């Protein structure tokens, strides 16, 4: 449908699981900066090349993703965002 989706998870285990299950890129604390920028840059484009990305708590730190219009939070600790 053209939605840009971010899947958030505080659990790296859950993040990796869903990213691999959905075959989507994911970013977490150990992701190299160049890889992080490549994923975010591709996600920001208006194309449908990358429509969904998975983010850990690194997504809380001032990442500008204005194209994202759907947020899904996967919580294993009953946390709130």
């Amino acid at each position: 449908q053209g939605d840009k989706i971010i899947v958030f998870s505080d659990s790296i285990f859950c993040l990796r699981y869903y990213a691999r299950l959905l075959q989507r890129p994911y970013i977490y604390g150990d992701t190299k900066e160049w890889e992080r920028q490549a994923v975010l840059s591709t996600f920001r484009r208006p194309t449908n090349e990358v429509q969904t990305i998975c983010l850990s708590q690194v997504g809380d730190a001032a990442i500008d993703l204005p194209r994202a219009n759907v947020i899904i939070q996967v919580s294993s600790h009953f946390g709130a965002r």
Side-chain angles (χ1 to χ4, degrees), residues 15-77:
L15 182 77
R16 284 184 183 149
Y17 174 80
Y18 285 108
R20 290 175 179 161
L21 180 72
L22 299 169
Q23 299 179 4
R24 300 295 182 251
Y26 63 99
I27 298 173
Y28 66 110
D30 289 343
T31 304
K32 292 180 175 44
E33 183 63 26
W34 67 266
E35 186 178 359
R36 185 179 301 196
Q37 292 304 322
V39 169
L40 293 174
S41 175
T42 306
F43 182 77
R44 286 182 182 117
R45 291 186 197 134
T47 64
N48 291 335
E49 185 178 349
V50 173
Q51 290 182 264
T52 304
I53 59 173
C54 301
L55 299 176
S56 71
Q57 291 177 334
V58 299
D60 289 344
I63 294 179
D64 184 28
L65 298 170
R67 293 200 182 280
N69 62 332
V70 177
I71 306 293
I72 299 170
Q73 180 179 347
V74 178
S75 176
S76 61
H77 303 294

